Amino acid sequence: MKTRDEILSVFTQTVISGGMNTAPEARLLLFALATLIHAQTILETGYDAGYTTEILAMTGAKVIAIDNGSEYPEVKKEAKERLSRYTNCKLLDTDALSFLRDVPDEMFDLIFIDDDHTPSHVKDEVVEVRRILKTGGLVVFHDTEKDETLKRVVNEGLADWEILHLPAWCKDEGGVVVNFGLTVARKK
């Protein structure tokens, strides 16, 4: 486990692009959730600059972070260099949905979804998340308040799970404060 100061520096990290829309409070929530459920295996889709990945790695869990490089390619090299010191963290350059389809059943304790936000993609991801998340595990979807369609897709796909919608306020690329939102769902 890292020192208190190391953890706090990652919580408050801001970047110009990649991870900009994942507020420090959202990172804190993910860290707390992972710790509270004693997560051993964590998946993150769309790692961008890797600041959320780093805070997840600080929990000590095995973290797999995937990104297809379609957004913010300028921050990937620095993210890979910074995250290389975490032996419990593996970065993969691949499409999220392709990866999810190849994962064995009930593999992850915690999943953070923040990649392609098109409704059809998220709907397909929900199908895979239902299969690969362990019973009692948590999935967190980012940007579900920013796009009501995504919130509806998640609600419908996980209607039989416990679901909590939370605000996640952050500045967008234009500097405007927006509620991107987080949806946390627990597999029964």
Side-chain angles (χ1 to χ4, degrees):
M1 177 81 63
K2 300 293 180 190
T3 68
R4 176 184 171 275
D5 289 340
E6 288 173 313
I7 292 171
L8 287 175
S9 74
V10 176
F11 282 141
T12 59
Q13 196 66 248
T14 58
V15 293
I16 300 303
S17 63
M20 179 177 164
N21 298 329
T22 303
E25 297 85 358
R27 290 189 202 114
L28 174 61
L29 175 66
L30 287 165
F31 181 85
L33 290 173
T35 303
L36 286 169
I37 67 169
H38 306 287
Q40 299 298 305
T41 53
I42 299 173
L43 173 65
E44 177 186 12
T45 67
Y47 67 80
D48 293 341
Y51 291 107
T52 302
T53 311
E54 187 169 7
I55 204 64
L56 292 171
M58 286 182 176
T59 67
K62 178 183 174 186
V63 177
I64 297 175
I66 59 177
D67 198 297
N68 67 5
S70 65
E71 290 184 312
Y72 314 117
E74 68 278 6
V75 299
K76 298 298 189 261
K77 182 180 178 191
E78 188 271 331
K80 289 176 181 179
E81 288 171 8
R82 192 179 71 260
L83 293 166
S84 68
R85 64 188 171 129
Y86 294 94
T87 58
N88 60 319
C89 183
K90 184 175 183 178
L91 301 178
L92 300 175
D93 298 321
T94 188
D95 174 71
L97 205 46
S98 297
F99 177 84
L100 294 174
R101 288 179 174 143
D102 290 337
V103 171
D105 292 357
E106 299 214 4
M107 183 169 170
F108 294 102
D109 298 300
L110 176 68
I111 301 172
F112 179 51
I113 302 286
D114 191 16
D115 60 307
D116 182 342
H117 296 312
T118 58
S120 62
H121 185 86
V122 173
K123 186 175 182 177
D124 290 343
E125 283 181 322
V126 167
V127 169
E128 298 305 324
V129 164
R130 291 183 67 84
R131 184 181 59 76
I132 68 171
L133 188 65
K134 292 178 183 177
T135 301
L138 299 171
V139 60
V140 180
F141 290 87
H142 193 249
D143 296 337
T144 53
E145 290 295 327
K146 190 175 174 198
D147 185 341
E148 282 292 318
T149 306
L150 298 182
K151 186 176 182 179
R152 189 182 82 256
V153 166
V154 172
N155 282 344
E156 290 172 1
L158 301 176
D160 57 327
W161 291 17
E162 296 172 7
I163 297 177
L164 177 64
H165 298 287
L166 300 170
W169 297 95
C170 192
K171 290 182 180 178
D172 66 9
E173 287 81 3
V176 176
V177 176
V178 175
N179 178 10
F180 285 85
L182 292 173
T183 295
V184 180
R186 182 179 164 273
K187 184 177 182 179
K188 295 181 183 182

